[in-house]
Structures are given as structure tokens and as C-alpha cells.
């Protein structure tokens, strides 16, 4: 969001810097972004060698921990054991109650934080559409400041409506639309980057990424490297949902093998797109790569294609919000039904016929609770519009337990791996390395939060 010229202590330095690598055009520290379109920025911080190596490393870690989870889907035997239908159930049955509660805490922190982050990110994409049209009409040097708040409200209203759909099974169409949108905006970002490279526009790149003394200070290089590691690590979040995916497979002796093939295919395709976005994006923009191709105005033209890309992002996030929020909805609603099973307010379903749509099942508690939840996430997004940094911190806190710690620990217990054996030592080293990544990524996010708090003024446009 843009701030008034006299509101930021960074404005004078920005003016001297020409809005270069340190700050956005509004005087805030440059936004790092999140997701696949931020990978060019991450590669820019690490350089041509370390960037692709780190991408590949985390793809292999994700694939390996996914394999461990597929073997723990049935316990105590991976072929003939009892199904663990959810990630938390698996943790409870294999590791016990204390770990089960820790897993639940990590999962719900992740889900709630993601909903708030999606509210902010979707509004940024909506704003980018309006700014893109402004730049096209008035020139790339025009002052096209637009406030995010009305678009956060629009996003919240859409989510309140969609949240009244009772459960995730009835939202399968929305998940499919979200997946198509994700492929669409990633393809647009890659295509525009390839066109930029083919146009032979000069972009300054290097083996080690952004240059100390030219692009950043030594301390900024360090913090940016930490954040880049976090962005890449958290982009691979596949293993935390693989249990629920495996639960949809038909029961068979080759069930875990089939899931391993599916996981390999999924991670391979994901890594291919990540490599394209990161490497081609870095080749196109070099050390000045924006936090997000499409909202950070790495491209101005063709403006209509940039607009389509941002529409795809916004629609994708509408669906993603529901996917991440439905488990939170179910948790509270199931708790209410267990404590007040005779309450018609909690349990009674009202069937409402909607022309051209069909019959909607309505429950008064669900209506009130879900509406309040969406309003809560929107209010937090409005109060703290730089919440992406805080979500990054939350992500740093949950990456290690959900993606690495629980999968490795459950495998060690179920497979009865002897302590201090080679496999035991290697898995402990892997877990320790990923814990270190979480720590440094959290440090990078905290540093970003501190910087943003220094210049933040609530409700300023």
C-alpha cells in the first residue's frame, strides 16, 4: 500500500536510491511475496548455483518425507495395518497423545494464518489490476496509488457466501477451478519471462545472486538469504496433505506403492514449474527480480495479459481460502455438536431452495460461526496489512514439524529402526537441518516484521 510522502522515514533514502532493490515505489521495504511467482526473487538472493540446488534439495526432501508418510498410512504394518485417515490420526496412533496435540496446534496455526495471508494477497492482486490499467493509460512513471481495503472487503464478502457450503466434498468444483487458475497464472508468468529474455533486454545476474555494496548491504544479503530459503522450503507443502489424498485411493496391497508413484509425479511436475518460474524469472529480471512477477510489476505490457494473470491469482486464492478454512470450520462445529447434541441451533439443518443453484443446507450456528471467522480474518488483514511477514513466521514455525519431524519420527517408530543405526542417524540429521532452515527463515520474517512496524500507519492509503 502507498503511504503519504511525509509519513515514511525511508522516503528520502528511496528518492536517492531510485526505488531500486531495497524499497517499493511507496517507500516500504520491498515485499518478498510468496508462492511460485516469488521464486525468481528467491533465486536472485541465492544466485545461479545455490538457487537451483536449494530448489532441487527441497523437492527431494519433500518427496522422501512423502514416501515415509505413505508407509505410515496403515499402522502398525504399511500393507495390512489399520488405516490412518487423517494426518493427525496417524500422529496420534503412532506417536501418542502429546505429539497429537502438538500436530493439531501446528496444523491450525498454519490454516488460520494462511486464510489471513490469502485475504491480503488476493487484495494485492485486485489492486494490481487497477494499477496496471492506470499505468497503461497514464504511463509507467505515473503515480497509481490504490488502497487495498475495499478489495479485502470484497474478498471477505465472497468468502462469507462460499463458506456457507457445508463441507469440502461439496467444494470439489472450486478446488478444480483453483488448480486451473494456479496453472494459468504460473504459465503467464513463465511466458512473459521467456518473452522478456527473448527480447534480449539486459538483466544483471551473478553466480552468487544480489551483490553486496551494489544491490544490498551485507546484513540485507544475510536476511534476504534466510527469507529466500524459507520461501523455497515452504513452497513445498505437499507432504502435509498426502495422507488425506491417500485416503481416497481404493484399498489394495499396492496402495502405498501407487501413492509413491503419484507423489513422485506430483513433486516432479511441481519442481519443473518451480524451476521454470525461478530460473527463467531470474534470467528475465536479474538481481532486481520483484517479489511477484504480476503484482510487483515486473511486467507492464501487455497489460491485459498481466490483468488476466492477476485475475487467475485472485480466483485461485478464493478457492484456496476455502480449502484451508474448511478444517477449522469443521473443528469448531464438531466440538459444538459433541457438547450440545440436542441443540437444534447446533445440529438442525434447514433446506433452502435457490433458483438455478439447487438446495442449500443451512444451519444457524454454521452461518454465524463461519461469518464471524471470515470477518475476523479480514479484520486482522486490515489492521496488519503486512501480515504476509507474520504468516511467513507462522510458516517457519510449522514447516519443520509437519513436513519433516512427524514423518521421520513416525517412520522410525513404526519401522522400529534401531537407535544410532545409519538410517536413524541420517533421518535425525535431515530433521536437524530442516529445523535450522525453519529457525533462519523465522529470523528473516521477524526482521521483516520489525522493519514494517517502523513505517506502518494503520488505514493510511
Amino acid at each position: 500500500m502507498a503511504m503519504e510522502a511525509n509519513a515514511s522515514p525511508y522516503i528520502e533514502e528511496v528518492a536517492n536510491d531510485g526505488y531500486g532493490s531495497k524499497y517499493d515505489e511507496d517507500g516500504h521495504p520491498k515485499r518478498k511475496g510468496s508462492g511460485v511467482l516469488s521464486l525468481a526473487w528467491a533465486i536472485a538472493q541465492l544466485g545461479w548455483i545455490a538457487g537451483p540446488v536449494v530448489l532441487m534439495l527441497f523437492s527431494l526432501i519433500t518427496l522422501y518425507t512423502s514416501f515415509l508418510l505413505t508407509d505410515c498410512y496403515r499402522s502398525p504394518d504399511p500393507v495390512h495395518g489399520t488405516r490412518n485417515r487423517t494426518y493427525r490420526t496417524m500422529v496420534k496412533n503412532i506417536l501418542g497423545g502429546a505429539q497429537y496435540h502438538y500436530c493439531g496446534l501446528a496444523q491450525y496455526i498454519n490454516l488460520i494464518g494462511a486464510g489471513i495471508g490469502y485475504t491480503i494477497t488476493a487484495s494485492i492482486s485486485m489492486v494490481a489490476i487497477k494499477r496496471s490499467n492506470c499505468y497503461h493509460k497514464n504511463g509507467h512513471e505515473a503515480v497509481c496509488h490504490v488502497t487495498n481495503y475495499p478489495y479485502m472487503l470484497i474478498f471477505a464478502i465472497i468468502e462469507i457466501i462460499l463458506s456457507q457450503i457445508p463441507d469440502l466434498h461439496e467444494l470439489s468444483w472450486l478446488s478444480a477451478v483453483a488448480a486451473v487458475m494456479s496453472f494459468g497464472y504460473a504459465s503467464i508468468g513463465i511466458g512473459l519471462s521467456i518473452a522478456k529474455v527473448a527480447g534480449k533486454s539486459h538483466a544483471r545476474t551473478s553466480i552468487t545472486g544480489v551483490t553486496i555494496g551494489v544491490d544490498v548491504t551485507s546484513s540485507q544479503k544475510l536476511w534476504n538469504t534466510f527469507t529466500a530459503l524459507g520461501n523455497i522450503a515452504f513452497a513445498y507443502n505437499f507432504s502435509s496433505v498426502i495422507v488425506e489424498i491417500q485416503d481416497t485411493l481404493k484399498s489394495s496391497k499396492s496402495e502405498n506403492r501407487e501413492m509413491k508413484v503419484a507423489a513422485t509425479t506430483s513433486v516432479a511436475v511441481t519442481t519443473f514449474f518451480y524451476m521454470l518460474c525461478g530460473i527463467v524469472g531470474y534470467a528475465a529480471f536479474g538481481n532486481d527480480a520483484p517479489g511477484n512477477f504480476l503484482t510487483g510489476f515486473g511486467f507492464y505490457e501487455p497489460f491485459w495479459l498481466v490483468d488476466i494473470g492477476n485475475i487467475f491469482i485472485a480466483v485461485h486464492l478464493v478457492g484456496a481460502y476455502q480449502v484451508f478454512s474448511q478444517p477449522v470450520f469443521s473443528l469448531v462445529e464438531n466440538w459444538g455438536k459433541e457438547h450440545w447434541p440436542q441443540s437444534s441451533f447446533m445440529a438442525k439443518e434447514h433446506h433452502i431452495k435457490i433458483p438455478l443453484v439447487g438446495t442449500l443446507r443451512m444451519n444457524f450456528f454454521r452461518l454465524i460461526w463461519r461469518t464471524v471467522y471470515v470477518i475476523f480474518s479480514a479484520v486482522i488483514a486490515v489492521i496488519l496489512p503486512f501480515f504476509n511477514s507474520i504468516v511467513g513466521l507462522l510458516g517457519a514455525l510449522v514447516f519443520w514439524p509437519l513436513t519433516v519431524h512427524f514423518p521421520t519420527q513416525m517412520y522410525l517408530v513404526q519401522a522400529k529402526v534401531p537407535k544410532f543405526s545409519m538410517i536413524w542417524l541420517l533421518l535425525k540429521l535431515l530433521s536437524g537441518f530442516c529445523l535450522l532452515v525453519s529457525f533462519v527463515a523465522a529470523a528473516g520474517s521477524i526482521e521483516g516484521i520489525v522493519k514494517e512496524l517502523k513505517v506502518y500507519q494503520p488505514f493510511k492509503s
Side-chain angles (χ1 to χ4, degrees):
M1 296 185 312
M3 293 177 63
E4 296 174 356
N6 60 357
S8 172
Y10 292 105
I11 292 296
E12 181 178 352
E13 187 174 358
V14 170
N16 295 332
D17 188 48
Y19 295 110
S21 61
K22 292 168 64 178
Y23 302 103
D24 281 331
E25 86 295 331
D26 55 9
H28 282 109
K30 185 176 284 289
R31 296 160 177 82
K32 275 73 172 180
S34 60
V36 65
L37 295 181
S38 73
L39 290 175
W41 179 88
I43 298 292
Q45 311 315 304
L46 301 172
W48 280 121
I49 296 177
V53 167
V54 171
L55 263 174
M56 185 57 66
L57 175 63
F58 279 102
S59 72
L60 293 175
I61 290 173
T62 300
L63 182 61
Y64 182 66
T65 57
S66 297
F67 282 2
L68 298 183
L69 284 173
T70 62
D71 285 335
C72 294
Y73 171 68
R74 290 182 180 272
S75 61
D77 181 81
V79 177
H80 304 291
T82 304
R83 286 175 180 260
N84 295 302
R85 295 187 177 275
T86 67
Y87 194 108
R88 291 180 69 200
T89 301
M90 180 186 293
V91 172
K92 183 178 182 179
N93 290 340
I94 298 175
L95 298 181
Q99 296 274 20
Y100 167 74
H101 293 303
Y102 173 36
C103 175
L105 178 64
Q107 281 188 314
Y108 287 107
I109 286 175
N110 185 40
L111 295 173
I112 295 170
I116 298 169
Y118 290 159
T119 302
I120 298 168
T121 307
S123 71
I124 291 172
S125 288
M126 296 178 198
V127 164
I129 295 170
K130 195 170 183 66
R131 292 180 65 198
S132 172
N133 296 333
C134 172
Y135 287 132
H136 176 71
K137 181 179 180 180
N138 302 311
H140 299 170
E141 303 302 321
V143 178
C144 296
H145 291 173
V146 182
T147 180
N148 293 38
Y149 300 126
Y151 299 96
M152 291 183 185
L153 177 61
I154 292 171
F155 184 82
I157 292 172
I158 293 172
E159 295 301 344
I160 286 174
I161 294 171
L162 289 175
S163 293
Q164 303 316 313
I165 298 175
D167 57 57
L168 202 55
H169 295 291
E170 297 179 44
L171 284 168
S172 58
W173 61 272
L174 188 59
S175 299
V177 170
V180 172
M181 295 297 102
S182 179
F183 176 80
Y185 71 70
S187 299
I188 289 173
I190 293 169
L192 290 173
S193 295
I194 292 174
K196 190 175 178 67
V197 173
K200 298 181 179 179
S201 59
H202 176 70
R204 183 171 49 86
T205 64
S206 70
I207 292 177
T208 58
V210 293
T211 306
I212 296 174
V214 177
D215 303 302
V216 291
T217 64
S218 58
S219 63
Q220 287 171 333
K221 173 76 172 180
L222 179 65
W223 292 121
N224 287 354
T225 298
F226 288 171
T227 305
L229 286 173
N231 281 357
I232 293 172
F234 308 141
Y236 286 99
N237 197 29
F238 174 67
S239 58
S240 62
V241 297
I242 193 172
V243 178
E244 283 75 8
I245 295 173
Q246 188 168 350
D247 193 53
T248 65
L249 295 181
K250 183 179 179 181
S251 179
S252 69
K253 291 184 178 180
S254 61
E255 185 179 74
N256 59 338
R257 291 198 299 272
E258 291 175 7
M259 195 61 219
K260 287 177 182 178
V261 172
T264 302
T265 303
S266 177
V267 172
V269 172
T270 299
T271 302
F272 175 74
F273 268 94
Y274 284 4
M275 283 288 187
L276 275 179
C277 282
I279 293 174
V280 177
Y282 184 44
F285 298 106
N287 292 348
D288 293 325
N292 183 307
F293 291 171
L294 302 176
T295 64
F297 290 94
F299 307 100
Y300 288 93
E301 302 293 343
F303 79 100
W304 56 269
L305 189 57
V306 174
D307 288 353
I308 291 174
N310 279 306
I311 290 171
F312 283 175
I313 292 175
V315 174
H316 167 75
L317 293 174
V318 166
Y321 184 100
Q322 286 299 313
V323 170
F324 275 74
S325 297
Q326 285 286 337
V328 182
F329 295 158
S330 298
L331 176 72
V332 174
E333 288 158 17
N334 290 336
W335 177 85
K337 290 176 182 178
E338 288 175 6
H339 283 74
W340 297 282
Q342 306 301 321
S343 171
S344 60
F345 176 72
M346 287 287 181
K348 187 175 181 180
E349 296 282 348
H350 303 272
H351 297 272
I352 302 173
K353 291 185 178 180
I354 303 175
L356 305 178
V357 175
T359 301
L360 176 66
R361 291 188 290 117
M362 182 67 69
N363 169 267
F364 287 121
F365 176 69
R366 184 166 62 236
L367 172 65
I368 295 172
W369 146 240
R370 296 189 180 192
T371 300
V372 169
Y373 177 86
V374 175
I375 292 173
F376 164 78
S377 62
V379 168
I380 298 298
V382 168
I383 294 174
L384 301 174
F386 54 88
F387 198 80
N388 278 344
S389 295
I390 299 177
V391 171
L393 175 60
L394 297 176
L397 297 177
V398 302
F399 163 72
W400 173 73
L402 295 180
T403 304
V404 182
H405 168 67
F406 288 125
T408 56
Q409 195 63 27
M410 285 189 292
Y411 176 79
L412 290 173
V413 171
Q414 175 149 308
K416 297 181 173 60
V417 177
K419 280 189 176 182
F420 305 109
S421 65
M422 182 60 69
I423 294 178
W424 187 91
L425 288 173
L426 289 175
L427 288 179
K428 290 296 182 180
L429 285 173
L430 173 64
S431 182
F433 168 75
C434 292
L435 178 60
L436 179 62
V437 170
S438 285
F439 276 136
V440 298
S445 294
I446 291 171
E447 190 266 349
I449 292 169
V450 170
K451 275 188 175 180
E452 298 243 26
L453 283 172
K454 288 179 180 178
V455 299
Y456 174 59
Q457 291 187 358
F459 306 108
K460 286 289 185 180
S461 173

